[in-house]
Amino acid sequence: MKRTQKRRTLSLEGIEPVRLLGVNDRNLRVLGEHFEQNITVRGEKIILTGSSRGMEELTSVLETLVRIAGSGRTVTEGDILTVLKGDGSEPEKIQELDETVVYYSGARRKNVVPRSITQKEYVDAIHDYDVIFAIGPAGTGKTYLAIAMALAALKRKSIERIFISRPVVEAGENLGFLPGDLQEKIDPYLRPIFDALRDMLGQERIQRLIDSGAIEIAPLAYMRGRTLNNSFAILDEAQNCTIGQMKMFLTRLGANAKAVVTGDITQIDLSSPENSGLVLVREILGGVEGIKFVIFDEGDVVRHRLVRRIIKAFSDRENRFTGVSGAEVPDE
């Protein structure tokens, strides 16, 4: 049976085409992966032709994206995915992203802003709660935004010190084979944190803040016995700490302190993944007042567009073998 063919036309009047279509019409290719209709741009018009199946949804999605582009925002692939899985309230939420300046990066002369609705919820959670857990795949900005929020707090002098830590667990390699003393062995493992700081501060300013004690970056084991007052503490790669280490980190908090814990429970390098503190902590602390859990998924990935597909492909494979998603976290 031949399917009914339909045609729809949308106006781009007053909108710079690249804001909607992306560089080299990249956004059209993204939409083409989700819809079977043909999308053609002629002057200030978008013409949709093809099967009636899905035409209404595509029209609605494009109308929403036109509204977003019309507000002056350049539509991203993440915006498209947000609209595709949304409930119709996305345009206003997406437009708020550019207005939410987390930190001004003097080194790059740019604002650090959330790039997805979940990132905005994460930033708001860091504002409103003292202990925040951010769980989700790589590339969703969990650590980067936490560091930006910490630097903003240091800049406005609401805290005196930033402490950033990771559990030292090798991902298939042995730190003992690296050259140098203990600090030199640990530095490469903490390099992603230095990269984020360098992107926002520049190398010289990072070193000054480290030398003054305003920023401390160290393995998780170095926290034992300490109390962090007037501090912003970040525990990165928390999927690789035990529940005992998680408790130790959280109980270091002193007066006027905030803690952000980030991790990806699909990338656990512990010999017994079921003992991951990040996996167990939500069951233990999920109902505790003043603690917030923010869950990211592959739709929030802000790295290269293929990273999102890679994460989904691995997740799909894991689902086939286990019957459950490794990235799935129960609702609160």
Side-chain angles (χ1 to χ4, degrees):
M1 181 178 177
K2 188 176 180 180
R3 293 178 182 170
T4 303
Q5 299 292 299
K6 285 195 172 184
R7 176 187 174 98
R8 295 287 175 82
T9 301
L10 302 177
S11 174
L12 280 176
E13 185 177 356
I15 298 174
E16 190 177 353
V18 72
R19 290 196 178 278
L20 175 67
L21 308 178
V23 177
N24 296 323
D25 294 344
R26 177 179 296 175
N27 290 343
L28 290 187
R29 293 195 292 273
V30 175
L31 288 167
E33 295 169 1
H34 295 271
F35 298 97
E36 60 185 32
Q37 287 76 17
N38 295 318
I39 305 173
T40 306
V41 180
R42 293 178 182 169
E44 294 186 337
K45 292 183 178 180
I46 302 177
I47 301 170
L48 313 179
T49 56
S51 168
S52 60
R53 187 179 68 178
M55 178 65 83
E56 295 299 326
E57 182 184 0
L58 173 58
T59 302
S60 176
V61 166
L62 271 169
E63 287 175 343
T64 300
L65 296 176
V66 167
R67 285 174 57 195
I68 294 170
S71 72
R73 176 180 172 84
T74 299
V75 175
T76 67
E77 181 179 357
D79 294 340
I80 296 172
L81 296 177
T82 297
V83 171
L84 284 170
K85 66 181 182 181
D87 59 9
S89 63
E90 292 71 36
E92 291 73 21
K93 292 180 180 178
I94 289 173
Q95 289 165 27
E96 288 178 3
L97 301 182
D98 291 334
E99 301 167 5
T100 305
V101 178
V102 178
Y103 179 75
Y104 175 71
S105 175
R108 292 294 182 90
R109 298 187 181 278
K110 68 176 183 180
N111 290 330
V112 177
V113 299
R115 294 172 60 186
S116 73
I117 291 176
T118 306
Q119 285 193 353
K120 174 65 163 58
E121 293 173 354
Y122 179 41
V123 168
D124 290 343
I126 295 175
H127 273 301
D128 298 338
Y129 292 83
D130 286 336
V131 176
I132 305 93
F133 291 87
I135 303 173
T140 49
K142 304 182 300 296
T143 304
Y144 193 87
L145 283 174
I147 291 174
M149 291 289 285
L151 290 173
L154 186 66
K155 184 176 182 179
R156 63 176 179 266
K157 299 183 179 180
S158 59
I159 59 166
E160 297 175 354
R161 181 174 50 168
I162 298 171
F163 188 96
I164 309 174
S165 183
R166 277 183 163 193
V168 178
V169 176
E170 298 97 344
E173 298 181 20
N174 194 321
L175 291 178
F177 289 104
L178 294 174
D181 59 21
L182 178 60
Q183 189 61 47
E184 290 172 324
K185 291 175 187 292
I186 290 171
D187 280 349
Y189 187 77
L190 300 173
R191 186 56 51 190
I193 294 171
F194 284 104
D195 289 343
L197 286 168
R198 186 181 298 108
D199 188 56
M200 287 179 254
L201 293 176
Q203 183 60 45
E204 290 185 7
R205 193 172 174 204
I206 292 172
Q207 196 57 54
R208 289 199 303 269
L209 289 171
I210 290 175
D211 291 342
S212 70
I215 294 179
E216 183 176 351
I217 306 170
L220 180 57
Y222 285 34
M223 289 194 67
R224 189 171 298 279
R226 303 178 64 181
T227 300
L228 301 180
N229 294 315
N230 301 309
S231 300
F232 194 121
I234 300 171
L235 175 57
D236 192 33
E237 297 288 333
Q239 75 274 5
N240 288 328
C241 71
T242 65
I243 194 63
Q245 290 173 317
M246 180 72 73
K247 178 183 177 182
M248 183 269 290
F249 172 80
L250 295 173
T251 54
R252 299 307 92 198
L253 298 184
N256 188 38
K258 187 183 292 286
V260 178
V261 178
T262 72
D264 176 4
I265 59 176
T266 69
Q267 296 192 41
I268 300 173
D269 298 316
L270 297 173
S271 58
S272 300
E274 66 276 7
N275 293 329
S276 167
L278 192 61
V279 172
L280 298 172
V281 74
R282 193 166 189 194
E283 178 184 344
I284 298 169
L285 299 179
V288 176
E289 186 177 354
I291 295 177
K292 179 68 175 179
F293 287 81
V294 180
I295 309 303
F296 294 84
D297 61 28
E298 63 267 14
D300 298 302
V301 172
V302 293
R303 291 179 183 168
H304 192 286
R305 62 197 301 258
L306 285 178
V307 173
R308 184 181 292 113
R309 298 179 187 177
I310 290 168
I311 290 171
K312 187 177 186 306
F314 274 93
S315 180
D316 289 345
R317 182 181 186 277
E318 183 175 346
N319 292 346
R320 290 197 300 272
F321 279 90
T322 66
V324 297
S325 170
E328 187 173 308
V329 182
D331 292 334
E332 289 185 68

